[in-house]
Amino acid sequence: MIGPVDGRAVPRYAGPPTFARLPRLDEVSRADVAIVGLPFDAGVSYRPGARFGPAHIRQSSRLLRAYHPAVGVSPFADLQVADAGDLALNPFDIPEALGAAELGIRSLAEDGARVVGLGGDHTLALPALRALHALHGPVAVLHFDAHLDTWDTYFGAPYTHGTPFRRASEEGLIDRERSMHVGIRGPLYSAADLDDDARLGFAVVRADDYETDGVARAVDRLRRRLTGGPVYVSVDIDVLDPAAAPGTGTPEAGGLTSRELLHTLRGLAGLDIVGIDVVEVAPAYDHAEITGIAAAHVVYDLLAVLATAR
Ligand SMILES: N=C(N)NCCCC(=O)O
Ligand SMILES: [Zn+2]
Ligand SMILES: [Zn+2]
């Protein structure tokens, strides 16, 4: 395995701009995990800027270290993780951008890598699910978000960051018996949004459930629903409270702490995770890399979970 540049030999703030200062994909013969930047934000409904997310998450990942004590693994030693760079996604043509994202993710996955997409806005979950469906058939979606993202259209547009999981459900890409949202909160357009969402195949762990029932119960609920098949993990960074992730486009008060989120992610060990995205990091609204660091740790903890399958 080729791991990250050692922070005790080359200063953290020097060295390659790859995620965690890992090798580039073209520097390794094969990869278990490919981290790919998806700089695209033409699907947003409010604050723009998630196109700068991949570079920001990479910059905020320079302090990650080799050993994960809570999980008891060294993700970069147990897995060959490499940075595949960014896909070139057309900012003026959403369907074309989604096609390019699907193709890029699919070709990385066909080479045998688990793909971690760094967003970019949440529209990108749709091409990722199209790519994975081609390889695995319908997958369960474990979706961390303040928002349902199963709305229908905005201004008549079907492909936006508020609609990827409705499209994915309509297209038969997801397992409607095993998908779920975690962290849902905030105002909806109407009560019918929740009925539509349930019909599209999602169970819900609300942000408020963390307050009343705690992390262990949330983990228990999601493990029960997700076991028995492939799982796609999609993390919209706005699942975190704006205090823990100010750098995002559609923030909602009352979200998870980063400790709650990371603890929940570690509870996924043993599930068959076939793909991951971390989206909606918009650095223009970030401060002191708070959001970038949270996103980098989300990726790191999910890599640790993947490493437990070794
Ligand atoms: N996927 C994210 N972050 N937000 C969706 C919000 C869609 C809306 O403004 O109704
Ligand atoms: Zn969201
Ligand atoms: Zn979202």
Side-chain angles (χ1 to χ4, degrees):
M1 305 287 177
I2 304 180
V5 172
D6 188 341
R8 293 163 298 185
V10 179
R12 297 286 177 189
Y13 40 82
T18 52
F19 184 84
R21 309 198 307 167
L22 283 158
R24 298 190 312 267
L25 187 59
D26 63 358
E27 295 173 317
V28 297
S29 53
R30 49 161 294 283
D32 298 303
V33 178
I35 297 180
V36 65
L38 305 170
F40 169 88
D41 63 7
V44 302
S45 58
Y46 196 48
R47 296 167 173 173
R51 64 180 63 182
F52 298 108
H56 190 64
I57 298 169
R58 288 188 179 103
Q59 174 64 21
S60 300
S61 70
R62 289 175 167 272
L63 193 54
L64 293 173
R65 298 183 195 86
Y67 181 64
H68 195 312
V71 183
V73 296
S74 298
F76 307 130
D78 300 341
L79 302 165
Q80 179 61 66
V81 188
D83 193 319
D86 290 340
L87 297 180
L89 305 175
N90 189 333
F92 302 109
D93 185 330
I94 293 178
E96 187 183 309
L98 301 191
E102 179 184 347
L103 224 68
I105 292 166
R106 184 168 167 175
S107 92
L108 291 167
E110 277 173 349
D111 287 344
R114 246 85 54 94
V115 178
V116 179
L118 305 180
D121 77 47
H122 222 153
T123 317
L124 294 158
L126 179 61
L129 288 167
R130 286 173 174 164
L132 292 173
H133 179 266
L135 301 177
H136 301 281
V139 299
V141 173
L142 173 58
H143 169 220
F144 292 88
D145 205 321
H147 308 100
L148 299 167
D149 291 356
T150 51
W151 287 295
D152 191 0
T153 58
Y154 293 80
F155 301 87
Y159 303 117
T160 76
H161 77 154
T163 58
F165 298 113
R166 179 180 290 246
R167 296 290 93 79
S169 181
E170 290 170 347
E171 292 179 21
L173 308 178
I174 71 171
D175 185 342
R176 291 186 173 191
E177 304 298 316
R178 291 173 47 246
S179 291
M180 80 194 301
H181 309 293
V182 178
I184 297 300
R185 62 189 189 273
L188 301 173
Y189 295 93
S190 88
D193 294 356
L194 292 170
D195 303 331
D196 286 1
D197 186 73
R199 190 176 45 76
L200 291 161
F202 288 88
V204 179
V205 175
R206 299 167 304 163
D208 283 346
D209 296 333
Y210 275 81
E211 188 68 23
T212 53
D213 302 335
V215 179
R217 171 100 177 99
V219 168
D220 192 53
R221 282 186 60 199
L222 60 88
R223 288 189 69 87
R224 247 189 276 204
R225 189 158 168 94
L226 293 165
T227 43
V231 178
Y232 182 76
V233 181
S234 182
V235 181
D236 183 328
I237 206 65
D238 72 29
V239 70
L240 294 175
D241 191 85
T248 196
T250 50
E252 309 279 351
L256 273 55
T257 65
S258 44
R259 193 167 54 227
E260 287 167 334
L261 176 59
L262 296 176
H263 197 105
T264 304
L265 295 175
R266 289 170 206 152
L268 304 179
L271 297 175
D272 180 19
I273 297 173
V274 295
I276 292 166
D277 69 50
V278 181
V279 297
E280 297 287 344
V281 172
Y285 318 100
D286 205 4
H287 307 275
E289 293 184 86
I290 297 171
T291 314
I293 289 163
H297 279 261
V298 165
V299 173
Y300 184 68
D301 277 30
L302 286 167
L303 293 174
V305 166
L306 292 180
T308 62
R310 279 291 152 138

